[in-house]
Structure formats: structure tokens, C-alpha cells
Amino acid sequence: IFAWHRWRGWLPAAIPAEAGLAAAGLLDGLAPHPALDCLAVRAGLPPPPRLPGGLALPERAANLRQYLQLEAAPSSAGLVPLWTAQQLFYPARIPDETHWQACLEAFQTRPAVWVRRDGQAAGTAPAWPSGAQPHPAMAQAAALSGVCPPDYNPAHVKYLEVQDLASQAVGLLCAPRPGERWWDACAGAGGKTLHLADLMAGNGEIWATDARPAILSELQRRRAKHDAAPIHCRPWAGGAGGRPPGLFDGVLVDAPCSGMGTWHRNPDARWRAAESAAAEHAVRQARLLDAAAEKVRPGGRLVYAVCTMTAVETAGAAADFTRRRPEFVPQPAAHPLTGGETDGRIWIWPWEGACNGMFVARWQRQS
């Protein structure tokens, strides 16, 4: 089903559903499976062949044309909503067409399943599960070859958290220190909150808020297995009221966004996203940043993160905030995956780590 959503832009509307599912399995490079074979036979097609890995989109389009006996190979642009190319952020030193094609290839590639090992328990945690591939630059991160390798046992459940590599990079860019006081303003189910607590070695204080009270209960459930710094959970919808008291050494605004950076992991999301979503999110993101800024102490850090790749929600949002709040100065940082120096605006592209696309901006308050 995920494969069908990923490739539905290439699947003719007139073909039977069984044919579409079989063809999507072909395009996704899925191993031969009786279910796909049965679907193909029911649609009057031969069982889908196993394609070699690493095929580029034009090669996959040619295979689809042959398999479904289409008059012409489909265009890559049909894999995403028509407005995607206009709203995408394009880096200055890369040709626009090159970047656009890289994004399309990323949208159509199934991402890895990443886990994070509890740093506080590094000395007592079991070895990585079989098939895990530790990241060369992020010692606590590993990609799993399957969702549940054979030796993924209760000991692993205690010490490992499923968390995308790009999300783990956000915690490293926050760089909280033991004894500090942090606010995770849009905590959700708490993946980044728990990472902050881990990086603080259980010494400090974290406030976690979200507009959805029910999802904070999931954070409280997850934190029970960690010897984490104290985490205070409170609902907050982004207004003046309900914010935690006092000032903070750091505030993370992992803001709600259009989610374009997760379209390969959540392929159905691209077809549910409205053209106006990015601009609407940008208005809310500005409000969240302004509210969070009021809670950062002089000398403290403000970190903004969004798992999207639209211009208005990323570089545009960061530039607008810097203009509005000149007391917040961009804080340079090394890129967590590449080690390259940045100006405080960090792009994590899906092809850099088989992960979600992510934009992060860091500021330090001067007064």
C-alpha cells in the first residue's frame, strides 16, 4: 500500500486496483512475493519481475511502460503535486534542475529505519542488533536492515529508541549541556525531548509542551524506561498563556510544517497536502518562534527545526525571524552528518543519510 501511494502518480487511473498494486511493487523494488504475484494474475498480468536496485527514475519508468504495455513512459513530474517544484527551496550553488531531480529520486526511495542508543547506558547496552549499520559520524545512531531483526530483543527495547537520523541531528544541534534548563515547545510524542534529556546526562530540567494533550501521555509513557532529566509536560497551543515559567538556556521549536521532507517515509502525505499549506504553516511558525524567543535568557540558544523543504518554511522563515528579532544572532555549527561548517542554517537532505529532509536554524540571544 505504501508503494502504491509512492507511485500512484505514474499509475493509469483506468487500470484495475490489482494491477496498480502489482506495478507499484515492481517500481518499489520489492522482493518477489506471493501476494504481488496473485494480484498481478488477477489483473491479467505476469508476476512482476525483481528489478535490480539503484535504478534511476527514467529506467523505472521504462520498466513500468513495458510491464503495463503503456504507449509512453510516464514523466517524473507526475510523482508529486504540480506545485511542488515552485515551492521547493533551491540551494544557490547547485543547478535548479539537478536539485529538483535529486529531490524526486529521494521522494521515491524507501528510507532506512534508524534507531538511537541511550548514551547514558552506552557502557551497559547490548551490542547493536544484527544487520544494524552504525552511522560513521553519529555514534549513537544506526540503520536497521529490517524493522525487527532476529535478535532485536527486550534488552534492545530498553536501550534503543526508533528515531530518524535527521531528528537525531536536531538534538545534536541543540547541544544541551548537563544542568541546563530547556523547553521543547512542540514536543509531540517526545522523541527529541528524550534525546535532549539523554544529552543532558539526566542532569537538568526540560519542559515539554504540545497543542495535543493526548500525545503528551505517550511521551510520559516513553520516558518511564529512561533515567532522564526531569521532564514537565504541559499542553500549549502557541498563545501567550500556558507557557512554562521563567527563562531557559535553550528552546527548541520543532514546528508543525508541510512535511515535504517525509514524503518518502509517508508517501500518502504528498497527495493530501494542499498547495496553500506551506504559506499557512509559515504564519503559525512565525508566531511560535516569537513566543519562544521571549523565553530564551540572554546568552541562551533558540533552535528552529522543520521536516520540510519548502522555501517559505525554511530559509524564508529563518530570515524573517532574524529581521524581526535582531537580538538573536545566527549561531554557526558543524553539520552533524558531513562535518562541514554552516552559518547557523543547516540543511539535511534525504540523500545525505537515507533519512528525512530537515531544516534547522540556530540563534543565540545577545540581550
Side-chain angles (χ1 to χ4, degrees):
I1 297 298
F2 271 65
W4 183 85
H5 281 292
R6 198 180 338 271
W7 298 100
R8 61 175 277 190
W10 275 7
L11 303 176
I15 66 172
E18 294 89 346
L21 289 166
L26 167 80
L27 291 165
D28 230 27
L30 298 179
H33 193 282
L36 289 178
D37 294 348
C38 289
L39 289 169
V41 170
R42 287 175 60 180
L45 295 170
R50 174 74 181 271
L51 297 181
L55 292 182
L57 288 177
E59 296 170 296
R60 299 195 200 196
N63 279 285
L64 179 67
R65 178 187 181 187
Q66 181 179 5
Y67 184 64
L68 294 181
Q69 297 296 299
L70 303 176
E71 292 185 3
S75 166
S76 297
L79 293 169
V80 293
L82 294 176
W83 47 263
T84 307
Q86 287 72 42
Q87 296 197 18
L88 184 68
F89 173 84
Y90 293 90
R93 289 178 285 184
I94 300 175
D96 287 0
E97 182 60 24
T98 300
H99 182 69
W100 169 240
Q101 291 300 323
C103 288
L104 284 175
E105 291 279 0
F107 292 150
Q108 302 311 116
T109 302
R110 286 180 294 156
V113 176
W114 289 94
V115 293
R116 175 178 59 80
R117 179 154 51 186
D118 188 343
Q120 296 182 66
T124 58
W128 290 111
S130 63
Q133 299 293 323
H135 193 274
M138 293 171 56
Q140 303 303 323
L144 301 184
S145 58
V147 174
C148 189
D151 66 346
Y152 193 86
N153 56 46
H156 291 116
V157 172
K158 180 178 180 181
Y159 294 111
L160 297 181
E161 289 284 349
V162 175
Q163 186 179 25
D164 186 72
L165 187 70
S167 294
Q168 295 187 44
V170 173
L172 297 179
L173 289 166
C174 288
R177 294 183 286 267
E180 288 189 332
R181 191 167 187 257
W182 273 76
W183 176 24
D184 187 355
C186 306
K192 296 181 182 68
T193 309
L194 293 173
H195 194 192
L196 293 178
D198 183 22
L199 293 169
M200 294 166 67
N203 180 12
E205 183 182 13
I206 299 176
W207 285 76
T209 60
D210 198 273
R212 301 157 295 174
I215 204 168
L216 292 174
S217 62
E218 173 65 10
L219 166 56
Q220 293 177 327
R221 184 195 67 80
R222 294 174 68 189
R223 72 177 295 268
K225 70 178 185 180
H226 295 273
D227 297 325
I231 299 174
H232 311 286
C233 297
R234 175 182 294 182
W236 181 60
R243 287 180 291 172
L247 297 179
F248 292 83
D249 299 289
V251 177
L252 168 62
V253 180
D254 181 25
C257 66
S258 59
M260 187 185 290
T262 69
W263 278 3
H264 54 348
R265 194 176 297 281
N266 304 303
D268 57 309
R270 71 185 75 178
W271 307 115
R272 292 185 285 106
E275 183 174 0
S276 60
E280 293 168 355
H281 278 296
V283 174
R284 185 181 183 190
Q285 289 155 1
R287 290 200 301 265
L288 289 169
L289 275 171
D290 286 338
E294 298 298 326
K295 290 293 186 175
V296 180
R297 68 165 177 81
R301 301 180 296 289
L302 176 62
V303 180
Y304 171 71
V306 281
C307 56
T308 191
M309 302 189 295
T310 67
V312 68
E313 298 175 272
T314 57
D320 288 344
F321 177 78
T322 302
R323 283 193 293 267
R324 291 196 309 274
R325 303 298 296 260
E327 73 272 26
F328 283 85
V329 177
Q331 189 178 38
H335 194 291
L337 303 187
T338 68
E341 288 300 316
T342 73
D343 62 0
R345 296 172 299 173
I346 301 95
W347 277 101
I348 299 173
W349 299 107
W351 51 87
E352 290 181 314
C355 60
N356 293 342
M358 185 79 70
F359 173 81
V360 185
R362 304 192 339 161
W363 295 273
Q364 184 175 49
R365 184 170 188 170
Q366 300 300 298
S367 60

